[in-house]
Amino acid sequence: MTGNKKLQIWVKEWADICQPDSIHWCDGSDEENQKLLDLMVSSGAAVRLDEKKRPGSYYFQSDPSDVARVENRTFICSAKKSDAGPTNNWSDPQEMKKTLLPLYKGSMNGRIMYIIPFSMGPLGSKIAHIGIQITDSPYVVVNMRIMTRMGKAVLDILGNDDFVPCMHSVGAPLQPGEKDRKWPCAPIESKYISHFPETNEIWSYGSGYGGNALLGKKCFALRIASSMAHREGWLAEHMLIMGITNPGGVKKYFTAAFPSACGKTNLAMLIPSIPGWKVECVGDDIAWMKFGADGRLYAINPEAGFFGVAPGTSMKTNPNALLSCRENSIFTNTGLTPDGDIWWEGIGYDIPPGTITWTNEDYDPASGKPAAHPNARFTAPAKQCPTIDSDWENPAGVPISAILFGGRRPSTLPLVCQSFDWNHGVFMGSIAGSEVTAAAIGLKAGVRRDPFAMLPFCGYHMGDYFAHWVKIGENAPNKSKLPKIFNVNWFRKNPEGKFLWPGYGDNIRALKWIFERTEGADIARETAIGYVPGEGTIDISGLSEAAGNIPELLKVDKNEWIDELKLINDHYASFGDRLPEEMKEQLQGLTSRLENAR
Ligand code: OXD
Ligand code: MN
């Protein structure tokens, strides 16, 4: 329990509304965790995996209707619609609360209300923030215990201070005597993932999955935190954080923002293909950044675990991710093998006969249905990553030398490109995105702009967000110490549709160039779009086939960029008068540099 009056009142108010059978304050202990897991095993919600193959690990299958973040049911409820901007679903805060309160009424009948105190960031860090999540899902509790620092120690640190209230219910009350479902949740049309950025509140209803339900992650650490950061002058970003050490022992930290499913976890855990270089992981998804007393920008990973996409993860593609979930992990919507282990497409070995699919059916290759859902996940403690950085829990954070943006671009964007200055880097972030095919998401084919990889995660108007980035540069205590900004593209293809770049461990070759540029090395060629590697400055030692592709990978094609300009103009038009002057100037600058380019 707690002496914090606001917290006591808040919990009592919600208990009166949701009417749970009882209330449990989570202490975060091993005993509590085991009790919840045992409870879920005995109810049939979880399977305990084989103790030898996957010690301390558990398997869950979700309801087939509840398998991913639901962007069309995610709302930013600012007082003014214009403050949510064109990239968010908006709802009036009072209207949203009027819609949700009747849904929450009695929603925890037959269930326990869990109170989860959690810290986003190392306990006591000046960059960290505390949230309290209410939930009726024991699955959420055991996942939050991996993904955040959770339990009694957080309440002790909170004292009487303020916290971010995070309200969650799966929206599936039980009648007396009614047997629970394996994965209780509400139908899609009554799921609501609602954010109130002006009062720092989160109200989530109806889903038990991932970012909809583990409220510390996307809801707090990105949507609410981005609007807190906007007000308070810091950065809450959808970025991995990595440490890179060169053969001389010099270490630097980079952050990188890529849209979902572009390999952030793979890059954060990269094993370099060039001898002597070392990459260590601080975080794979979110970075919170503030200036330190020395004028440099410092980043913490607010999370304590990885909530990684399982399919495609193998000892070949990302051994460190696979080793991170070797024990004490939770698997959701993968396949389940008859000997009590998990399996997924792309794990690197054949499916064991008798494997059960995520829909709890016998796997049948003839059906064409995969064993694992494409968004099947592992939840693994970050400390289990073999390459976790020694400073990953440093409360002061790690000093950032470079910020990378990127996406999947089969053409136009070179392998790596450095911005001319901070505002040009902000421009690069603002136009980031991935090319999508019409078949993939049922939309018009083309470039899906995902500015700063924050499209689904920015808690306020995207135009104001660009302005905030400009202001961070303007207000920097020492401009010469600002991180340098780069764009990378691992996904360029040749006209036959074949990737030109091997990616994975070979990405160190681009990181090495970036590393050297942050030290001011004279290895760049100036182009209309920024600095790209000069001839012979990308290390190709040991790189066979792709070495010949380097000129194509670094090409800046004037005609492709003139086409790109039209797309950027369309993208920018959507921000109306909230597009900062500085970004208009950047677009004009690029336009005239291209006109003057040979
Ligand atoms: C994630 C995402 O799950 O970005 O991290 O979708
Ligand atoms: Mn993410």
Side-chain angles (χ1 to χ4, degrees):
M1 272 287 270
T2 174
N4 186 310
K5 281 273 168 321
K6 174 182 161 182
L7 178 51
Q8 283 173 356
I9 293 168
W10 180 67
V11 168
K12 167 134 189 6
E13 276 173 4
W14 279 111
D16 288 348
I17 295 166
C18 299
Q19 297 156 23
D21 284 5
S22 60
I23 300 177
H24 176 87
W25 289 76
C26 297
D27 63 15
S29 64
D30 288 345
E31 297 71 37
E32 175 185 80
N33 187 49
Q34 198 54 58
K35 225 166 120 182
L36 290 176
L37 288 162
D38 290 346
L39 205 88
M40 288 187 280
V41 170
S42 58
S43 77
V47 172
R48 184 174 185 139
L49 293 171
D50 182 78
E51 200 46 33
K52 287 215 184 66
K53 292 188 177 302
R54 216 44 84 162
S57 300
Y58 293 81
Y59 171 73
F60 292 82
Q61 293 166 342
S62 81
D63 189 276
S65 70
D66 199 25
V67 292
R69 288 187 291 102
V70 281
E71 289 181 16
N72 61 346
R73 306 297 308 163
T74 297
F75 300 89
I76 298 296
C77 308
S78 46
K80 286 199 252 152
K81 182 171 186 191
S82 56
D83 287 339
T87 58
N88 284 310
N89 296 317
W90 175 82
S91 173
D92 174 81
Q94 298 317 321
E95 286 300 315
M96 179 55 81
K97 289 188 173 178
K98 242 170 54 198
T99 304
L100 283 176
L101 277 170
L103 292 174
Y104 281 121
K105 206 160 172 9
S107 72
M108 294 189 186
N109 283 169
R111 300 193 183 279
I112 299 171
M113 176 189 260
Y114 299 95
I115 317 296
I116 312 173
F118 64 96
S119 173
M120 296 313 289
L123 288 183
S125 161
K126 283 208 185 71
I127 313 180
H129 285 276
I130 287 177
I132 312 282
Q133 178 162 352
I134 291 177
T135 183
D136 50 6
S137 162
Y139 168 85
V140 165
V141 178
V142 295
N143 274 273
M144 285 290 284
R145 186 165 181 270
I146 297 176
M147 293 306 298
T148 72
R149 285 95 177 161
M150 177 270 251
K152 182 172 174 312
V154 177
L155 280 187
D156 295 344
I157 286 182
L158 178 68
N160 286 319
D161 289 350
D162 209 0
F163 58 91
V164 172
C166 307
M167 177 58 203
H168 174 247
S169 169
V170 292
L174 292 167
Q175 301 307 316
E178 184 183 342
K179 189 170 158 16
D180 202 0
R181 282 178 285 156
K182 201 167 66 178
W183 184 280
C185 63
I188 182 76
E189 65 282 2
S190 17
K191 294 190 207 294
Y192 291 88
I193 321 299
S194 299
H195 308 72
F196 305 88
E198 284 133 359
T199 47
N200 288 352
E201 294 169 280
I202 300 162
W203 289 23
S204 169
Y205 181 88
S207 167
Y209 204 88
N212 302 330
L214 313 178
L215 301 186
K217 193 175 180 63
K218 304 298 188 183
C219 298
F220 178 175
L222 289 175
R223 298 194 192 97
I224 291 297
S226 64
S227 62
M228 289 165 72
H230 180 216
R231 289 192 295 270
E232 298 166 9
W234 50 285
L235 294 168
E237 301 300 327
H238 190 204
M239 291 179 177
L240 66 88
I241 311 168
M242 69 201 305
I244 306 188
T245 309
N246 74 6
V250 179
K251 184 166 191 178
K252 294 179 188 286
Y253 289 94
F254 298 173
T255 62
F258 305 141
S260 307
C262 282
K264 280 214 310 294
T265 304
N266 290 346
L267 190 66
M269 299 181 186
L270 170 142
I271 299 178
S273 65
I274 321 180
W277 287 76
K278 189 156 90 184
V279 168
E280 287 158 295
C281 174
V282 177
D284 77 329
D285 197 38
I286 301 175
W288 283 359
M289 293 184 275
K290 281 188 180 163
F291 288 106
D294 63 356
R296 297 190 69 186
L297 196 57
Y298 282 75
I300 61 162
N301 171 10
E303 302 190 279
F306 306 123
F307 186 65
V309 175
T313 307
S314 71
M315 284 309 277
K316 215 164 135 203
T317 59
N318 192 341
N320 289 322
L322 214 51
L323 293 169
S324 300
C325 60
R326 67 192 175 275
E327 58 187 346
N328 309 316
S329 296
I330 294 169
F331 297 88
T332 310
N333 286 348
T334 65
L336 174 67
T337 68
D339 58 357
D341 199 4
I342 44 72
W343 188 90
W344 52 71
E345 280 68 23
I347 199 169
Y349 49 86
D350 289 345
I351 187 164
T355 294
I356 303 284
T357 68
W358 72 278
T359 50
N360 206 33
E361 292 158 319
D362 291 333
Y363 175 72
D364 173 12
S367 74
K369 289 196 237 157
H373 185 278
N375 192 36
R377 298 281 179 150
F378 56 83
T379 320
K383 63 173 185 254
Q384 289 183 184
C385 178
T387 53
I388 198 73
D389 192 83
S390 55
D391 265 336
W392 85 281
E393 297 207 271
N394 187 335
V398 294
I400 301 303
S401 298
I403 296 173
L404 281 52
F405 297 113
R408 287 177 182 267
R409 297 297 306 268
S411 68
T412 318
L413 275 109
L415 177 67
V416 53
C417 176
Q418 182 183 1
S419 73
F420 294 121
D421 55 27
W422 180 265
N423 278 359
H424 183 224
V426 176
F427 175 71
M428 279 180 173
S430 77
I431 61 170
S434 287
E435 196 157 311
V436 292
T437 56
I441 51 171
L443 293 174
K444 218 170 75 182
V447 180
R448 184 204 196 219
R449 297 288 160 188
D450 189 348
F452 292 74
M454 285 288 276
L455 187 68
F457 306 124
C458 183
Y460 59 103
H461 195 297
M462 189 62 86
D464 295 351
Y465 170 89
F466 299 163
H468 178 57
W469 266 81
V470 169
K471 219 157 122 197
I472 289 283
E474 267 167 19
N475 296 344
N478 182 338
K479 290 194 178 44
S480 71
K481 292 187 178 178
L482 277 168
K484 304 286 184 280
I485 304 182
F486 299 80
N487 195 89
V488 295
N489 178 25
W490 318 135
F491 300 97
R492 200 148 172 174
K493 291 181 173 171
N494 68 11
E496 289 73 51
K498 197 162 171 272
F499 285 117
L500 291 165
W501 185 244
Y504 298 105
D506 284 313
N507 289 337
I508 189 67
R509 300 171 192 278
L511 299 176
K512 178 182 173 187
W513 187 84
I514 292 169
F515 188 105
E516 289 165 356
R517 283 297 290 167
T518 64
E519 297 190 319
D522 185 12
I523 49 176
R525 169 170 77 87
E526 187 172 336
T527 74
I529 65 159
Y531 299 112
V532 301
E535 207 181 319
T537 62
I538 291 281
D539 185 340
I540 51 163
S541 54
L543 185 70
S544 46
E545 201 187 317
N549 297 337
I550 297 281
E552 186 64 20
L553 279 158
L554 298 180
K555 196 175 78 182
V556 178
D557 183 295
K558 181 174 171 175
N559 292 329
E560 281 181 346
W561 273 95
I562 287 175
D563 290 345
E564 182 80 7
L565 275 181
K566 292 184 207 121
L567 303 176
I568 299 171
N569 271 295
D570 290 349
H571 166 56
Y572 267 16
S574 67
F575 303 115
D577 61 3
R578 305 281 270 256
L579 182 73
E581 278 309 314
E582 290 85 352
M583 292 300 103
K584 289 184 202 158
E585 284 162 18
Q586 288 296 329
L587 182 52
Q588 275 158 12
L590 175 61
T591 309
S592 58
R593 287 193 302 274
L594 283 168
E595 277 164 3
N596 296 331
R598 272 184 295 129

